């Protein structure tokens, strides 16, 4: 497995680097939007309301996980559907940037609610750990979609071997994204505990 990952990264280092660059740029843009626009108070209220709801006894974590999977499947669907367009890489990078902007805004919102010290703990638990998994998954999916787009435009046929390879990486990437949602949900209890003490 480790050798497969190393080979995959080596073969796709250019695309992966671009995706990471776009993601970092999106996070920075999200921070800028939070600091220099009027969305700050609105997002703080939204996140506080969510935190208050999660404290209720009738809060169902299963629904959150199911909704998270649906939302991510929607984005994955857009990524793969974009292959039939002439601007597939642009659409994919736009999705990456939009998800990164949301991350940047969310991180700033958590710092505003929890402060610096508690905020760092909350972000490590509820953002960084799930993000490492979900971002890896989306990088793989985006890279594969761009590669398929390139093959189609070059007139290369996608054989059974390539289709199996794509399916293999899709299963891994979707598993990572799904597990990230579970991790986020598991750490939410600690976040709520920290929020209750503010």
């Amino acid at each position: 497995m480790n050798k497969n990952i190393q080979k995959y990264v080596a073969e796709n280092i250019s695309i992966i680097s671009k995706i990471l660059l776009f993601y970092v740029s999106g996070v920075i843009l999200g921070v800028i939007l939070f600091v220099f626009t009027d969305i700050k108070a609105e997002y703080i209220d939204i996140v506080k309301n969510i935190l208050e709801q999660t404290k209720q006894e009738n809060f169902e974590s299963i629904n959150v996980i199911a909704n998270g999977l649906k939302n991510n499947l929607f984005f994955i669907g857009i990524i793969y559907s974009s292959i039939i367009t002439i601007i597939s890489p642009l659409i994919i990078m736009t999705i990456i940037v939009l998800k990164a902007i949301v991350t940047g805004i969310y991180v700033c919102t958590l710092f505003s609610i929890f402060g610096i010290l508690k905020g760092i703990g909350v972000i490590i638990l509820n953002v960084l750990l799930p993000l490492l998994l979900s971002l890896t998954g989306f990088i793989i999916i985006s890279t594969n979609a761009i590669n398929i787009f390139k093959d189609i435009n070059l007139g290369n046929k996608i054989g059974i071997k390539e289709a199996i390879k794509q399916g293999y990486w899709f299963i891994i990437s979707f598993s990572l994204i799904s597990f990230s949602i579970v991790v986020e949900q598991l750490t939410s209890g600690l976040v709520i505990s920290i929020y209750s003490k503010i």
Side-chain angles (χ1 to χ4, degrees), residues 49-69:
N49 286 335
I50 292 171
L51 289 169
E52 289 294 335
Q53 287 176 18
T54 56
K55 287 162 64 178
Q56 304 301 317
E57 290 182 3
N58 61 351
F59 178 74
E60 295 183 19
S61 60
I62 298 296
N63 290 339
V64 174
I65 293 171
N67 289 333
L69 288 172

Side-chain angles (χ1 to χ4, degrees), residues 1 13 19 22 26 31 34 37 44 48-50 56 61 82 87 96 112 121 126 129 143 150 152 167 172 176-177 194:
M1 181 66 179
I13 189 66
I19 292 171
F22 272 84
V31 172
F34 184 87
T37 66
I44 290 172
K48 278 186 175 180
N49 286 335
I50 292 171
Q56 304 301 317
S61 60
S82 72
I87 54 168
I96 294 294
S112 297
N126 206 235
L129 290 179
T143 300
K150 287 181 177 179
I152 291 171
I172 289 175
L176 288 170
I177 292 168
I194 295 169

Side-chain angles (χ1 to χ4, degrees), residues 24-196:
V24 171
S25 299
V27 171
I28 293 169
L29 184 56
V31 172
I32 291 170
L33 286 171
F34 184 87
V35 174
F36 296 104
T37 66
D38 296 329
I39 65 171
K40 182 176 181 177
E42 182 181 346
Y43 270 85
I44 290 172
D45 286 341
I46 290 170
V47 174
K48 278 186 175 180
N49 286 335
I50 292 171
L51 289 169
E52 289 294 335
Q53 287 176 18
T54 56
K55 287 162 64 178
Q56 304 301 317
E57 290 182 3
N58 61 351
F59 178 74
E60 295 183 19
S61 60
I62 298 296
N63 290 339
V64 174
I65 293 171
N67 289 333
L69 288 172
K70 287 178 185 177
N71 291 336
N72 282 294
L73 278 172
F74 174 74
F75 282 113
I76 292 168
I78 292 175
I79 288 171
Y80 278 111
S81 297
S82 72
I83 294 169
I84 62 174
T85 71
I86 60 172
I87 54 168
S88 179
L90 178 61
I91 293 172
I92 292 169
M93 291 305 178
T94 300
I95 290 171
I96 294 294
V97 169
L98 289 175
K99 289 183 75 64
I101 288 171
V102 171
T103 301
I105 292 172
Y106 185 54
V107 166
C108 290
T109 303
L110 291 178
F111 272 126
S112 297
I113 294 171
F114 290 93
I116 299 297
L117 292 177
K118 289 180 180 178
I120 290 171
V122 168
I123 288 164
I124 290 171
L125 288 171
N126 206 235
V127 179
L128 290 183
L129 290 179
L131 183 62
L132 287 172
L133 297 167
S134 64
L135 183 58
T136 301
F138 271 104
I139 286 173
I140 294 170
I141 286 172
S142 300
T143 300
N144 288 349
I146 291 171
N147 283 332
I148 294 171
F149 172 78
K150 287 181 177 179
D151 284 338
I152 291 171
N153 279 272
L154 291 171
N156 299 331
K157 291 183 179 180
I158 300 174
I160 295 174
K161 186 178 179 180
E162 182 62 26
I164 292 172
K165 183 180 175 182
Q166 291 287 343
Y168 168 79
W169 284 112
F170 176 80
I171 291 169
I172 289 175
S173 57
F174 188 68
S175 298
L176 288 170
I177 292 168
S178 301
F179 189 54
S180 75
I181 297 168
V182 175
V183 170
E184 186 177 358
Q185 188 56 42
L186 289 173
T187 59
S188 292
L190 293 171
V191 173
I192 294 164
S193 177
I194 295 169
Y195 178 71
S196 300

